[in-house]
Amino acid sequence: MPSGRVHEAINLTVLGGGAVVYLAYGGSPEDPQGLAFTLAYLAGTFLLSPDLDLAEKGTRSQRRWGLLGLFWRPYGWLFRHRGLSHTWVLGPLTRLGYLAALLGGLFLLAQGVAAHLGMPFTLRLPPWPPEVWGSALLGYYLSQWLHLVADGIWPDHDLKRLRRPR
């Protein structure tokens, strides 16, 4: 299986090639959809890698989070390496859900502290059109899928295991 550096090199190569094609067909680097796609793709490559399921201390994926990498240790305990977290649809969704739960907990904590101090605290998502959110989701999933392909996990991977007689 490829190392973390190889996964990153593959993802960055594909992103660079895609950017060249995008710009050649008249795409603008300032387009919100292209920017959302790129940022989500990079976040999926460097911050939300499928290898966050490694519960070992100091994995490459967790180190990128710095001290906050400790918050990803329970994720590694919940999902065995190359298990559910390395599936094509649910795997990336588990990391988004886990991140949403972490951010939700942080939001509730900040809201409680602000209420205790008598300060108003609200949070609003940017009012981006659905196309921008869709581009971000596509960029994130594409980065995850390239990681899985490099690991030799194809979309029919789980189906083959189901069909195999035991």
Side-chain angles (χ1 to χ4, degrees), residues 20 26 36 68 73 81 97 139 158:
V20 167
L68 297 177
R73 297 287 299 275
H81 187 53
D158 292 330

Side-chain angles (χ1 to χ4, degrees), residues 5-6 12 14-15 17 24-25 45 53-55 63 68 83 104-105 108 111 130 135-136 141 143-144 149 160:
R5 289 181 195 270
V6 172
L12 290 177
V14 170
L15 179 63
Y25 278 97
T45 298
D53 62 6
L54 290 166
R63 281 193 312 256
L68 297 177
L108 289 175
Q111 197 173 31
S135 293
Y141 263 89
S143 73
Q144 304 294 296
V149 167
K160 286 180 183 176

